[in-house]
Amino acid sequence: MQDVDEIVQEFLVESVEGLDQMDRDLVALERRPADVELLGRIFRCIHSIKGASGFLGFSRLGDVAHAGESLLSELRDGRLVLTPAITSALLQLVDAIRLILDHVRDTGKDGTEEWGALISLFQTLQGGHDGNGNGNGNGNGNGHHPAESPALVPSEELGDVAAAADTPDPESAGIPPGSSPPPVALERRTDTVARSNIRVDVGLLDRLMNLVGELVLARNQVVRHTSLKADAGLTATAQRLNLITTELQEGVMKTRMQPIGNVWSKFPRVVRDLAVQCHKQARIEMEGRETELDKTIIEAITDPLTHVVRNSMDHGLEGPEERLAAGKPAEGRLLLRAYHEGGQVNIEVSDDGRGIDPDRIKAKAVQKGILTAEVAARLGEREVFDLVFAPGFSTAAEVTAVSGRGVGMDVVRTNIERIGGTVDLQSVMGQGTTLRMKIPLTLAIIPALTVSSRGIRYAIPQVNLLELVRVDPAGAGPGIELVHDAPVFRLRGDLLPLVDLAQALGGPRRHWTAGGSQDAISIVVLHVDGRPFGLIVDDITDTEEIVVKPLSKLLKNAMLFAGATIMGDGCVALILDVPSLAHKAAVLATGQGTRREVEEEDDQDQTRRAATRLLIFHLGDHHRMAVPLSEISRLEEFPADAVEWAGHERVVQYRGAIMPLIHLADVLGHQATSPVSGPLPVVVYARRGKPVGIVVGKILDIIEETLPPEVANSALPRQSVVLQGRVTDLLDLEAVIASHDVVQPDSAYSTPALADTGV
C-alpha cells in the first residue's frame, strides 16, 4: 500500500509540473499556432496524464483527459486550427484536471463529478469528431447549437509545416495501431540527457538552513574568542572553520534559491484571462526570469506581484480603440523585469498604458480627507504617487471584479516592507507606469551593523544603510540644528531629519539647545523607499553576518523590530525594522517641514531625484577621479605592512577572509609624483559576491551631482566630466576590475559574500 501511495504522489508531482508548463505553452501556442513543438509538448502532457490515470484507476480523470486529447489530436492532424475558443476550452481543461488532482491528493479518489459539460464542449469544438475519425453527423453534439460553436477553418499553414517534420513512432504519439500517420508529424524528442536534479522535501531544507544558522552563530563566537587569544594554532583553526562555514552557508542557501520565473509562469495565463475579461489586447514580456531568490522571498512576493499585474491590466492599459486614437498599437505591452543590483533584486512591472494623472490623485486624496488642499498643492511628483499606497485609496470610477476597492496597493507595500524591501512608483502621462520593488536575496542570514543605545545592542540590516556620520561640536563642520523644534543635520547641503533611537524606543526626549548638542553624536544615515534620515545612537560597534530569528508571539505586536539574533558573545540583539521606525517617528511623512525647506522645494526636489552620489578622490597629486557611491560596499584603510602576497597578487586579510588588492594607479598606467605614505585608502567593491579592494589616493569628498544624460547612460569605462568646477575622470569599477582580471572563478581561497551597501 505504501508503494501505491508513493506512485500516486509521484504522479501528482509530475502532473502538476506538466500542467504548469501546459499553461505557458497554450498561451504561447495561441500566438504561434503553427509551432509543431509546442503542440507536441501539450499533446504529450495530456497523453501522459490520461495513461497514468488509467493505470491508477482514476476513470473520471481519464475521461476528461481523453476528451482534451481528442481535441488536440484534431489540431495535430491539421483538421482544425487553433481559435481563441479552443484555447479557452483547453485552459478550462487544465483547471479541471488541477481540481481533480487536488481531490486525489486530499482523498485518494478522483471525485464524483462527471464533467459532462466540459466533455460535451470538447465534442462540440471538434465539430462532431470523436477523435477516432468518426462523426455524429450534425457537427454540434449534445444539444449545442451551431451558432455557439466557433468556426472551424482548415489549416493550410499547418500543412506546410508537416512537410518538413519527421514522422514519429505511432505509439509514442498516442496514435491507435493501424492508423495512418497524421498530416502534421510531431518532432521526436532527441534529448537523452539524464536528469541531474532530485526532489527534496522543503521541511528538510528548512531544518538544514536552521542548522547552518546555528553553525554561523557558533562560528562568530569562536572567531570572537580567538581574536582575544594569542594562539597561532587556534587562530589557524578558527580561520579554517570560518572558510568552511562560509562555503557551507553559501551552498545551503543556493539549495533554497529558486528562479523568479517560477512565480512569473502563471502570469501569461492571468494576462490572457484579464484581457478577455476587460475586452483589451495585451501581451506579456519577461526579462531576467532566471534571477534567483530565496524560497521564503518567492512566497512573500507572489501575492503582491499578482495584484500589481492585475492593476496594470485593469487601470494601466487602455482598450484597443483608445490606444489607436492615441497613436499606439492596439495591443498593449506588459513587461516584467528582474535583475540584481546593489546586493538586492530589483523587480519591475511596466506597462505602456495611459499613465497616472497626478492632479487626479491629489483631487481624490483631498476628497477622501487623506490630506488638505493646501498640503496637496505643495506635494512633489513622488509624494503624489505615494498616495496610491494609502489605505483605502483608489481612483477607479467603479468597483469591478478585478479592482477598485482600494484595498490592494497598501497591502502590496506592507508585504514588501515586511521582508525588508521597498516599493517605488513612477509614471508618465500617456506613456505608461512602472512599479519597482527592491527586495533582499534572503531573510535567513544577512549582513548587519550593530549599534547600541542606553547600553542595549541592536542590529540594523545593511540593506538600509547609507553611511555613518560623526558630529563633533568642537569641529569645524556643521552641527545639529532645530527646525520647528525637530532636530536636523545639514548633510552636504540637504536637511537630514533625525530620529533619536532611545526616544523612539520609549526613552526620555533628548534636550536640544539652540546650537544643537554639546556632546559628540553618532548618526547612522539610513534610507527607506529612497528617502534618507539619520538615526542617533550612542555607539557604533561593527558589521557582521547575523542569523535572523523570528520574534516570540508575545512580541509580534512590537512593530519596531523585525526579529532577533544571537551575537558573537552569546547575547541577544534585536533587529530594528527601519521602515516602521521611520514611519513611527514621522520623519518621512508627506509635507513634513524638516525634510526640505519650502522655498527650495521645486528646484532641489528635481535636482535630488536626478542627482548621482559620487565618491571623489585623488590619484597621485592632482589627478581627480570619481566613482558612483552605489558601486562601493565600504571604504577601508589598511596599514602598509598588512599587505601580503598570494601567488602573483597582493592581498589583505579582511573580515576573516582573503581579499585581493588592485592598485588603481597600476591599472590606469598612472605614475605618482610622490611616494605613498601612511595607511592605504581602499575602496571595497563586491564583484560576483566576492570583495575586491581597490587602492586609491586621498579621499576628498562625497558629493551629489546631476550628470549629463550622455554621461549617465554611457557604457564607457572612463570618461571626463566637470565636477565642482574641476575636470574629473568618472570610472566604471566593474570595467576597471575586468581589465585587471584579479577575480578567478576557481580561486584557491574563499571569501564571504558582502552586501552592496553604502559606506
Side-chain angles (χ1 to χ4, degrees):
M1 183 64 183
Q2 185 177 0
D3 293 338
V4 175
D5 291 340
E6 291 179 357
I7 293 174
V8 172
Q9 184 65 29
E10 187 71 16
F11 164 68
L12 291 174
V13 172
E14 292 184 355
S15 297
V16 169
E17 291 178 353
L19 291 175
D20 290 341
Q21 182 64 46
M22 187 174 169
D23 250 342
R24 299 189 291 270
D25 289 345
L26 282 172
V27 176
L29 185 65
E30 189 174 32
R31 296 183 177 277
R32 306 193 303 273
D35 194 321
V36 177
E37 182 180 355
L38 278 177
L39 186 58
R41 194 158 57 199
I42 295 170
F43 185 91
R44 285 191 294 270
C45 175
I46 294 299
H47 180 71
S48 299
I49 292 176
K50 187 193 80 167
S53 61
F55 170 76
L56 296 172
F58 300 137
S59 58
R60 291 178 178 84
L61 177 58
D63 291 342
V64 173
H66 175 72
E69 183 188 38
S70 299
L71 180 59
L72 288 168
S73 179
E74 296 291 306
L75 294 171
R76 184 195 61 180
D77 294 349
R79 289 192 287 269
L80 295 179
V81 291
L82 196 70
T83 64
I86 294 178
T87 304
S88 297
L90 290 173
L91 290 172
Q92 291 181 41
L93 170 69
V94 174
D95 295 338
I97 294 178
R98 278 203 177 99
L99 289 174
I100 297 175
L101 292 177
D102 288 342
H103 208 280
V104 171
R105 181 195 60 203
D106 296 336
T107 66
K109 299 180 181 179
D110 57 352
T112 58
E113 190 170 351
E114 297 297 336
W115 302 99
L118 183 60
I119 295 174
S120 298
L121 174 61
F122 285 128
Q123 292 175 352
T124 302
L125 291 171
Q126 289 173 240
H129 294 280
D130 62 5
N132 295 315
N134 301 318
N136 60 16
N138 59 11
N140 65 329
N142 299 298
H144 285 264
H145 297 289
E148 297 174 337
S149 301
L152 305 179
V153 183
S155 174
E156 288 88 333
E157 188 176 10
L158 288 178
D160 295 336
V161 180
D166 295 330
T167 303
D169 178 67
E171 294 183 359
S172 66
I175 305 170
S179 301
S180 59
V184 181
L186 305 180
E187 291 182 327
R188 183 184 297 112
R189 299 185 66 184
T190 58
D191 54 320
T192 58
V193 181
R195 296 177 63 182
S196 59
N197 57 349
I198 60 174
R199 292 190 179 96
V200 179
D201 183 69
V202 174
L204 177 60
L205 288 180
D206 290 339
R207 289 193 295 273
L208 188 60
M209 190 66 196
N210 290 335
L211 290 175
V212 170
E214 297 298 330
L215 180 61
V216 169
L217 293 176
R219 185 271 311 268
N220 293 344
Q221 293 176 355
V222 170
V223 171
R224 179 184 178 88
H225 290 302
T226 303
S227 63
L228 303 177
K229 299 182 181 295
D231 189 330
L234 181 61
T235 300
T237 303
Q239 289 180 348
R240 180 64 178 166
L241 173 64
N242 183 23
L243 294 177
I244 294 175
T245 304
T246 300
E247 292 183 359
L248 179 61
Q249 170 194 336
E250 293 176 355
V252 172
M253 290 178 66
K254 287 180 180 178
T255 64
R256 293 169 53 91
M257 303 297 276
Q258 297 179 359
I260 198 171
N262 291 353
V263 178
W264 288 359
S265 61
K266 69 175 183 178
F267 289 143
R269 169 77 182 275
V270 172
V271 170
R272 182 198 180 273
D273 291 347
L274 288 174
V276 173
Q277 183 178 351
C278 300
H279 307 291
K280 296 178 180 179
Q281 298 178 17
R283 74 179 188 276
I284 185 171
E285 298 177 4
M286 303 178 185
E287 297 178 4
R289 64 171 69 218
E290 70 282 352
T291 304
E292 291 187 331
L293 288 168
D294 189 271
K295 179 183 71 71
T296 54
I297 300 290
I298 289 284
E299 294 172 352
I301 67 174
T302 299
D303 289 342
L305 271 179
T306 302
H307 183 85
V308 172
V309 169
R310 291 170 64 88
N311 255 20
S312 296
M313 287 297 300
D314 190 33
H315 292 308
L317 295 179
E318 314 96 325
E321 297 81 4
E322 185 179 348
R323 291 182 63 86
L324 291 174
K328 299 180 181 179
E331 184 181 57
R333 174 176 177 264
L334 185 65
L335 173 65
L336 301 181
R337 181 168 175 252
Y339 57 94
H340 291 279
E341 182 182 71
Q344 294 178 294
V345 172
N346 285 8
I347 303 175
E348 296 179 358
V349 182
S350 305
D351 64 67
D352 62 349
R354 61 174 62 92
I356 300 177
D357 186 355
D359 293 334
R360 185 181 177 191
I361 293 179
K362 288 191 285 188
K364 198 73 173 181
V366 173
Q367 176 186 340
K368 288 182 171 290
I370 297 177
L371 42 75
T372 64
E374 292 76 13
V375 174
R378 296 199 307 267
L379 292 181
E381 186 178 87
R382 179 166 186 167
E383 285 82 4
V384 173
F385 291 150
D386 276 348
L387 293 173
V388 174
F389 299 98
F393 186 86
S394 176
T395 59
E398 60 182 8
V399 176
T400 66
V402 180
S403 60
R405 293 176 175 84
V407 293
M409 295 305 291
D410 62 317
V411 177
V412 169
R413 168 168 280 183
T414 300
N415 289 344
I416 295 300
E417 289 182 346
R418 186 175 293 134
I419 60 175
T422 60
V423 182
D424 182 38
L425 185 66
Q426 298 175 352
S427 183
V428 179
M429 281 293 295
Q431 298 183 20
T433 303
T434 298
L435 186 137
R436 182 179 294 106
M437 303 177 184
K438 291 185 178 182
I439 52 181
L441 292 173
T442 179
L443 297 180
I445 301 176
I446 61 173
L449 175 73
T450 55
V451 300
S452 62
S453 177
R454 297 188 177 274
I456 302 176
R457 278 187 296 178
Y458 302 93
I460 302 175
Q462 278 198 11
V463 68
N464 298 113
L465 179 63
L466 286 179
E467 58 184 300
L468 304 176
V469 177
R470 180 76 169 176
V471 180
D472 187 358
I480 306 298
E481 306 174 29
L482 292 177
V483 176
H484 301 300
D485 202 31
V488 297
F489 178 71
R490 194 173 295 274
L491 181 64
R492 291 185 290 276
D494 291 335
L495 290 180
L496 183 73
L498 299 179
V499 177
D500 186 0
L501 179 58
Q503 179 184 342
L505 297 177
R509 180 183 176 126
R510 188 189 296 256
H511 295 288
W512 301 98
T513 62
S517 174
Q518 301 300 322
D519 302 322
I521 294 177
S522 297
I523 300 176
V524 181
V525 183
L526 306 171
H527 71 98
V528 174
D529 203 18
R531 306 179 193 175
F533 73 97
L535 184 67
I536 300 175
V537 298
D538 294 341
D539 191 25
I540 299 173
T541 309
D542 198 1
T543 60
E544 64 178 89
E545 289 186 332
I546 62 172
V547 180
V548 179
K549 298 289 186 180
L551 293 175
S552 167
K553 293 182 179 179
L554 298 176
L555 299 175
K556 284 295 183 182
N557 294 327
M559 301 300 294
L560 297 182
F561 305 110
T565 187
I566 301 176
M567 306 304 296
D569 57 1
C571 297
V572 176
L574 290 171
I575 304 172
L576 294 177
D577 186 345
V578 177
S580 298
L581 186 65
H583 290 315
K584 179 180 179 181
V587 292
L588 304 180
T590 300
Q592 173 116 0
T594 60
R595 204 168 63 209
R596 62 171 181 246
E597 295 175 300
V598 176
E599 60 270 20
E600 300 174 345
E601 177 179 348
D602 295 332
D603 295 334
Q604 289 193 7
D605 184 54
Q606 294 293 336
T607 301
R608 276 196 294 272
R609 279 201 300 269
T612 301
R613 306 181 74 208
L614 301 168
L615 173 70
I616 307 295
F617 58 89
H618 267 162
L619 191 63
D621 294 334
H622 305 292
H623 197 162
R624 282 170 55 97
M625 292 193 170
V627 293
L629 198 61
S630 60
E631 296 184 5
I632 301 174
S633 295
R634 292 183 64 84
L635 288 179
E636 299 284 0
E637 283 189 346
F638 295 100
D641 57 3
V643 179
E644 304 178 63
W645 288 86
H648 299 289
E649 296 177 356
R650 282 171 287 203
V651 299
V652 293
Q653 297 183 32
Y654 182 64
R655 297 189 176 187
I658 302 174
M659 180 174 69
L661 289 181
I662 301 176
H663 280 258
L664 189 59
D666 296 342
V667 177
L668 301 180
H670 183 86
Q671 297 297 328
T673 58
S674 59
V676 178
S677 61
L680 296 177
V682 175
V683 171
V684 180
Y685 175 77
R687 188 187 190 218
R688 301 171 188 165
K690 307 293 184 182
V692 178
I694 302 175
V695 181
V696 298
K698 180 181 179 182
I699 303 296
L700 299 179
D701 198 1
I702 295 177
I703 66 172
E704 287 190 1
E705 283 285 341
T706 303
L707 299 177
E710 63 273 12
V711 174
N713 301 324
S714 175
L716 295 176
R718 179 180 179 185
Q719 53 190 327
S720 297
V721 294
V722 177
L723 301 176
Q724 296 180 320
R726 301 285 301 277
V727 176
T728 307
D729 279 353
L730 184 63
L731 298 179
D732 182 348
L733 290 183
E734 178 63 31
V736 170
I737 297 176
S739 65
H740 190 72
D741 196 26
V742 297
V743 181
Q744 300 296 332
D746 298 322
S747 180
Y749 49 82
S750 176
T751 52
L754 290 178
D756 189 3
T757 60
V759 186

